[in-house]
Amino acid sequence: MEALGELARGFAIALDPFVFAMLTLGVVAGLVIGILPGLGGTSGVAILLPISIFVADQSTTAAIAMLAGIYWGAVFGGVVTSILFNIPGEPWSVALLFDGFPMAKRLGKPGLALTLAFTSSLFGAVIASVLFTFFALPLADLALGFGPAELFAVFMMAFATLVGLESGSPLKSIAMIGFGLLLASVGFDSITGEPRLTFGQIGLLSGIGFIPVTIGLFGIGEILASAEEAGVKYEQVAAKLGLKDLMESIGHLRRKFWMLVVNTLLGFWIGVLPGTGATPASFLSYGVARQYAPEKERANFGKGEPAGILAPQASANAASVGSLLPMITLGVPGSPTAAVIMAGLFVWGLTPGPLLFTENKDFVWGLIASIYLGNLIAFVICILATPFLASIMRAPYAVITPFIVLASIIGAYAVNTAMKDVFIVIIFGLIGYWLRKMKYPLAPLVVAIVLGDSTERELRKALIGSGSDPLVFFGSPFAAALSTIAIALFLLPLAQYLMRRRARGRAASAGPSEPPAP
Amino acid sequence: MIAAVAMFDTRGGALPDPEGGAPGGLKGGWYPFWSAAIATVALLVVAYRAGVAPGSSQAVFSGREGVMSVLALIVPMIALVVLMDRLLGLYISGALYLAWFGRAIGRYRWPWVAASAVVIPAILFVVFESFFRVALPKSIWYTLGLPF
């Protein structure tokens, strides 16, 4: 139990007034950055990197606490715009659009949706921090055994769990996945450098970014769809006091405890894997939560199901904690944000790697303690702010709608400062509206656009590494197990369909004929 | 249809090429081609099943009123984006958009409309341009010294 003693020392360091103040500052900045559209945790950390150099002159622990604090704050803050406005504040809060916004708007429970997300975020962070505290070095070694073939299988699992999502036809989901993968492949091929599907347009060489596509599909698409449903009127959302929502969230958390533990572990592990991060973790957990939900609950996914908020958010936060682990222990960042934080370490004169644990004990344990504290601070601020945030949903339609449109446009523009992305928002807003009308599920499309690039990269890296031998996906025990699970998950809807058909055939031959299901 | 065009454009890389010079035996076009193929096949089956399913056809739009309320949102949104690009910038066109929305759809009084059209862009300006140094699109008068 040496780790416990070290952790206690870490808390003593993190509770030093200067370190604590910098941590709080980082968390608050992260919350603002997370809420603002177009500014992500990665760019937030990058913007404040120069300031961290001055802080590091006083204490490197305070500097890392501040930068990591921005990360925790952004994980919590990204929740807000996803749930209230259907615009993802951060890539890893895209999965919250599927159930968070429906709960806030259709069920009229914005406070509960926010509180569920914040509570599960803290839950994920705490479990992940405990894993970080006790198993940092062995986990990092294990993660290095994960090559492109294993990562490709993990991404395939994420897609497989989404087939048949939103209780729609699995074929429509598959079509949407194909369409999403296609959109993701527009632009330069990252391996050979040849332009693909650009049709001679220079603007398309850099590809179609998933942020403007998601903002368009969900933010603008939803506005257009709801305008027609209700005319241009506003539906009132009941406001509730925060405490009741908190108790209800804890109740949901207790009922779904083991499901959440599994998803947190899953998220943490994906975060630890190099180069993945919180976004694929949140999607995979959403799919897993839905796949293993009882039949009755599964139909509620996409319509405001609490588990659809709890699982991805716990997983996303666990992954963001996990992504710091290989960065600190091996010098291999687990996510883009962790990569920018690692740049900070170099600037302050520290070299990440196993030696850090022996040579800079105070720094490492101060950081680990600040993970617990930073997430706690973010949670307390968010819970206190929830009644105020939820009341935004009651603003009149004519105020909130143009605001969402402006926020969508700024969010898309600010990522690359390109008007092209603004046009993409509008075009995909119309596409999203049309897809809603045709009852096509949007979630598989978005997941495919977000993960498409990484999936292709890992697939081709695996094939290059193996001399184009497709058996590489079954080459190691990990890869074989993951690939088999992914294939089984893909075949599941087909098997269910065939079984239903057989049962129907039997019923039809036994009794009078019934109309075929649509 | 989009997927079919994409399949045609990337047909050169459709087949795996283990003997050729492509890294890993796959050319750049392999992945988009098969993504498009998945989408096309799935959509064809969906279309076929929709064609054979009896009597499930439904009007796509819920009446003329529904179409008008959607158009009332789309047209100003497109106007906003067109004006914003190289003409009025985000702040001025945003103010006009807010004013139009507040007056035409919200039916607010002019003082409220004017206040929201000034205050919201001003807050955006301070947050993005001053705090976070994110340059959002400016108007054609920016080069003449106007700050937005």
Side-chain angles (χ1 to χ4, degrees):
Chain A
M1 288 291 103
E2 189 197 337
L4 275 182
E6 298 285 7
L7 184 64
R9 209 167 64 138
F11 268 105
I13 295 163
L15 286 169
D16 166 83
F18 181 64
V19 178
F20 191 77
M22 286 301 119
L23 175 64
T24 313
L25 185 75
V27 170
V28 172
L31 281 170
V32 174
I33 286 165
I35 292 173
L36 286 175
L39 285 174
T42 315
S43 51
V45 173
I47 290 167
L48 294 178
L49 199 58
I51 300 172
S52 80
I53 298 171
F54 297 106
V55 179
D57 283 343
Q58 309 284 324
S59 145
T60 46
T61 315
I64 187 93
M66 185 179 86
L67 289 193
I70 297 170
Y71 199 0
W72 317 138
V75 174
F76 276 86
V79 164
V80 177
T81 44
S82 288
I83 290 182
L84 296 185
F85 306 131
N86 219 11
I87 306 172
E90 297 286 338
W92 52 72
S93 32
V94 170
L96 286 178
L97 303 173
F98 307 157
D99 277 282
F101 181 76
M103 175 181 276
K105 189 158 182 216
R106 307 246 159 76
L107 307 182
K109 293 177 181 169
L112 179 63
L114 287 170
T115 319
L116 277 169
F118 296 142
T119 320
S120 62
S121 215
L122 182 69
F123 180 88
V126 169
I127 293 196
S129 310
V130 171
L131 291 171
F132 200 126
T133 311
F134 294 102
F135 306 108
L137 290 171
L139 275 175
D141 280 339
L142 196 61
L144 279 187
F146 252 62
E150 287 83 357
L151 283 174
F152 176 71
V154 168
F155 288 134
M156 278 295 125
M157 278 166 65
F159 291 129
T161 52
L162 285 164
V163 172
L165 194 71
E166 293 178 15
S167 62
S169 117
L171 273 172
K172 284 186 173 176
S173 301
I174 291 173
M176 288 292 100
I177 290 178
F179 189 43
L181 295 176
L182 183 66
L183 286 172
S185 65
V186 173
F188 274 122
D189 172 12
S190 59
I191 307 257
T192 62
E194 61 183 289
R196 301 187 297 192
L197 298 169
T198 53
F199 301 101
Q201 298 290 315
I202 293 172
L204 284 177
L205 282 177
S206 54
I208 297 178
F210 70 83
I211 301 254
V213 171
T214 318
I215 292 176
L217 285 176
F218 282 89
I220 303 291
E222 173 67 29
I223 286 179
L224 296 177
S226 61
E228 193 192 348
E229 279 163 20
V232 191
K233 280 187 214 98
Y234 182 71
E235 43 190 285
Q236 283 286 330
V237 174
K240 274 190 196 161
L241 204 67
L243 201 62
K244 203 180 152 209
D245 288 331
L246 186 60
M247 297 318 288
E248 201 177 332
S249 299
I250 293 171
H252 281 295
L253 208 101
R254 277 173 52 187
R255 273 197 293 285
K256 300 278 169 201
F257 183 80
W258 289 110
M259 183 277 284
L260 273 179
V261 170
V262 170
N263 277 309
T264 302
L265 296 179
L266 188 70
F268 182 73
W269 178 243
I270 292 177
V272 171
L273 297 178
T276 46
T279 314
S282 62
F283 286 138
L284 190 59
S285 285
Y286 184 80
V288 168
R290 181 192 158 272
Q291 198 84 28
Y292 297 103
E295 194 77 36
K296 206 175 75 199
E297 276 175 24
R298 199 180 307 168
N300 291 335
F301 272 80
K303 297 172 191 158
E305 165 63 33
I309 300 174
L310 290 170
Q313 188 58 21
S315 179
N317 208 339
S320 40
V321 174
S323 72
L324 288 191
L325 193 147
M327 187 269 279
I328 291 288
T329 53
L330 305 168
V332 183
S335 72
T337 316
V340 184
I341 297 179
M342 193 168 93
L345 256 69
F346 285 122
V347 175
W348 314 324
L350 294 169
T351 311
L355 280 182
L356 206 63
F357 275 77
T358 46
E359 286 176 1
N360 292 79
K361 269 190 171 178
D362 282 3
F363 174 80
V364 171
W365 290 102
L367 166 66
I368 294 177
S370 79
I371 301 177
Y372 289 89
L373 286 175
N375 278 291
L376 193 65
I377 295 170
F379 176 73
V380 171
I381 295 175
C382 286
I383 289 293
L384 291 177
T386 298
F388 163 73
L389 291 170
S391 70
I392 295 176
M393 287 289 278
R394 285 182 296 147
Y397 177 88
V399 174
I400 200 106
T401 305
F403 187 76
I404 295 176
V405 171
L406 280 182
S408 300
I409 286 172
I410 294 172
Y413 182 85
V415 179
N416 292 318
T417 53
M419 272 309 283
K420 175 195 91 178
D421 290 341
V422 176
F423 295 124
I424 290 179
V425 167
I426 303 293
I427 292 167
F428 276 86
L430 297 175
I431 293 177
Y433 169 62
W434 183 77
L435 288 175
R436 273 185 177 79
K437 289 227 144 272
M438 295 291 146
K439 299 206 166 31
Y440 278 87
L442 293 178
L445 172 61
V446 169
V447 176
I449 295 172
V450 177
L451 300 184
D453 262 346
S454 330
T455 313
E456 182 188 10
R457 198 173 49 240
E458 300 306 334
L459 167 75
R460 292 172 72 184
K461 263 162 59 184
L463 287 173
I464 290 169
S466 70
S468 40
D469 177 11
L471 285 177
V472 65
F473 300 107
F474 297 90
S476 76
F478 267 142
L482 292 170
S483 301
T484 313
I485 297 173
I487 292 171
L489 284 171
F490 264 116
L491 293 179
L492 198 66
L494 186 69
Q496 283 171 337
Y497 171 74
L498 290 176
M499 270 160 65
R500 268 204 308 272
R501 219 177 135 141
R502 238 177 96 184
R504 249 205 328 261
R506 230 180 273 145
S509 60
S513 67
E514 53 178 315
Chain B
M1 208 180 74
I2 294 175
V5 172
M7 276 173 78
F8 184 75
D9 193 54
T10 56
R11 69 195 181 283
L15 293 174
D17 172 28
E19 307 302 320
L26 296 182
K27 285 188 200 152
W30 184 84
Y31 189 78
F33 178 84
W34 288 106
S35 308
I38 292 171
T40 311
V41 171
L43 286 172
L44 283 177
V45 179
V46 170
Y48 169 75
R49 287 175 56 169
V52 294
S56 64
S57 66
Q58 217 178 5
V60 177
F61 289 100
S62 54
R64 192 166 166 273
E65 212 172 292
V67 180
M68 291 312 286
S69 59
V70 175
L71 280 179
L73 280 174
I74 294 176
V75 174
M77 208 186 299
I78 291 174
L80 162 71
V81 172
V82 170
L83 288 177
M84 181 180 142
D85 187 23
R86 276 173 285 186
L87 193 63
L88 294 183
L90 175 91
Y91 300 103
I92 298 176
S93 54
L96 291 175
Y97 180 69
L98 286 165
W100 179 85
F101 217 99
R103 185 65 199 168
I105 291 179
R107 312 220 177 276
Y108 293 118
R109 290 178 198 192
W110 278 111
W112 284 111
V113 171
S116 76
V118 172
V119 171
I120 294 177
I123 293 173
L124 290 175
F125 184 84
V126 172
V127 171
F128 282 95
E129 305 281 338
S130 312
F131 287 173
F132 290 105
R133 310 244 160 228
V134 177
L136 296 176
K138 309 289 193 307
S139 67
I140 42 169
W141 302 289
Y142 180 66
T143 45
L144 301 175
L146 196 74
F148 42 83

